[in-house]
Amino acid sequence: MSTPDTSPSAYNDRPQATTGMPPGIPYIIGNEAAERFSFYGMKAILTVFMVDYLHWMSSAATNQGMSNAEATEHYHTFTAAAYFFPVIGALLSDIFLGKYRTILYLSIVYCIGHGALALMGSPPMSAGMWLFAGLLLISIGSGGIKPCVSAHVGDQFGKSNSHMLTKVYQWFYFSINFGSFISTLLTPWVLEHYGPHWAFGIPGVLMAIATLLFWMGRHKFVHIRPGGYRFLQELLSWEKFSSIPKLMIIFSFVAVFWALFDQTGSSWVLQAKNLNREWLGYTWLESQIQAINPILVLTLIPLFQFLIYPAIDRVFPLTPIRKISLGLFVMIGGFAIVALLQERVDAGSQPSIGWQFLAYAVLTASEVMVSITCLEFAYTQAPKTMKSIVMAVFLFSVSMGNVFTATVNRYIQTPAAASLAADIDLEEDAKEPMDNGSFVGELKLDDPAAPKLTLLGPDNTLGTPDDATLLLNEDGKLDSIENASLTSFNAVAEKIEAYFLDQTGDDSTRAFPSVEEAQPLVAGAEDAFGNPITYKLLSRDQYQLVSAGADGENDTQWDETLTGTVDRANTSDTVNTDAPTFNWLERQKIAIESEGDPNKAETVKSKLISERGGGDETKLSRDYAIGGRTLLEGAAYFWFWTTCIFVTAILFVPVGYLYKEKTYIQDEEDAEHEAEALADEAIAT
């Protein structure tokens, strides 16, 4: 019995001469829907997971989670990596493996990455290492297949049915958003109630299904052969190669669009935490509001295709470049809305999350004009043997946009003194001074139950007034920070809290003072080094006191902050404090903090009920810190990005005007001649 021929030559290598739909399209669309479920489901919860869950993923948990800016930086670094690896995938596809095998092999890597995320908290690695490994493998797998899948769609068409390309790319984008919508609603709910293992594991199962669907369509697909030497020849041909730098100029402007758009999974999610999430009769989790975007995409695609584009086309010819230009201007409105919304949050209000819906509507209109247009534009502008590499150039613009966002969030953070106590070894670190590049300290074990880490001030001399003390627990985890300024900060905080508590009305209407109202309360207040203490209102439930600290300079690692938070009493009859239901994170905290002691468990449960507003009285808390500030936050952060896209949109107008389009489409005859030439070349060698 002969062995079946599974080499590339066993598959159809040129489009059929038909005006109908290629037979492989349903498999690609099904694969894309399942793959996008896995990717967007994981990505939807990533920021919230890093801020609220990651540090509780092992028995050696610490109360020090990631800051918002740090989580935003890591989120966009991962996204940048996921859109950088398309370059590698495209080269593998166009030179060596072809699109089908590249997609299949890297999909397996992708599945392993999801498995790593589902194993977080399990030995032999720490949760942080599992997270890093999982995100790295997902970025390789997801990124590597991106340019190949979208180019693989176009490869199924010849000249006879090329008129259906726009329709199929719309269906392709529909499948992306359908998978995204379902996963963005479901995965945050799974995380809330069943924890990270299931929340990251279910997307992994969907990725395995996506891989299976793709393999099942292998005999239906058109398998365009890898270019090999011919690819390099075409790359060295100026006529063909010149399309890449020209497109890179266009896509460099689109990169700024992505720098803003992908913040719907980071800064917009974090903003949603401070909004009233009761909307449309449903209490939304902060990550779930992202599901609005794919629904709006599915609504707006036909609206633009059949109404808006034809209407604009009657006024002036609507080329792809002009669609992109209009989309950049529309994006200005989307971020202006969230900036105005954040101004209300900064003023102590709690506006409805429905306002984010309006911002999403504007942002999604921009996406339809920019992203879908670029997807088709990248394919049609690419020479025939360079389809994947040009798709990778487009996707690389997403990477560069996220690098920009990650870089901004890195540089708006100041080092935190608490970082010196991270992963401390009480025995080893007591033997010599500690230095992490930002701070220097000496560990003292006079009382083993209450170790102390003395932080040297800017003068770098032990025993001077600018020193601070980091109080640790017996496990070496940071409990609190004390220094000469703490008394002054607490005195001001008492005035702020008294203002809050002295207000009339029920607890839900009480508010911290505005900046103007707080001026008499902080007037004349100074830290231990003679610097004025200033007041900031962060949200309805949080304020911050700030001073320049021991070095006397603002916006450095020595800035001192006291962040005050209110946990409001819950007067709702729906809260059952006698037999409360705890979510996964609360159950994890109970297990870790009680250490198996039933009495401790009851104490922890009471504390958690109080923290989530299930108690019968208001709780005020303070957190004093040295360093660890976010220098660009609140409305100023969103206005910064609004300005960036405004400048980009203005500059793109003359650049787009000068671009000259040239279209390349696969056709039946050329594909046949190329296949024959490749065969002759193989025989000759």
Side-chain angles (χ1 to χ4, degrees), residues 559-581:
D559 290 357
E560 300 175 1
T561 60
L562 185 149
T563 303
T565 304
V566 59
D567 292 315
R568 299 174 187 269
N570 194 315
T571 58
S572 172
D573 294 333
T574 61
V575 177
N576 184 353
T577 56
D578 295 325
T581 300

Side-chain angles (χ1 to χ4, degrees), residues 21 107 453:
M21 187 69 70
S107 291
L453 179 58

Side-chain angles (χ1 to χ4, degrees), residues 38-78:
S38 72
F39 183 77
Y40 284 111
M42 174 276 301
K43 201 162 173 259
I45 61 174
L46 187 56
T47 299
V48 168
F49 171 79
M50 289 188 290
V51 172
D52 296 333
Y53 287 77
L54 178 60
H55 56 293
W56 289 103
M57 290 301 293
S58 67
S59 58
T62 169
N63 289 327
Q64 301 298 318
M66 282 191 192
S67 68
N68 288 352
E70 186 180 3
T72 299
E73 176 195 343
H74 291 318
Y75 174 91
H76 289 281
T77 299
F78 160 70

Side-chain angles (χ1 to χ4, degrees), residues 110-133:
Y110 199 162
C111 292
I112 296 172
H114 277 292
L117 294 185
L119 288 171
M120 275 188 291
S122 304
M125 298 193 297
S126 67
M129 288 301 295
W130 279 117
L131 178 66
F132 174 80

Side-chain angles (χ1 to χ4, degrees), residues 16 45 110 141 248 272 325 327 341 388 447 452 551 586 617:
Q16 298 178 8
I45 61 174
Y110 199 162
M248 289 179 70
S325 182
L341 183 59
S388 292
D447 181 358
K452 296 181 179 180
D551 66 349
E586 290 169 333
E617 62 179 273

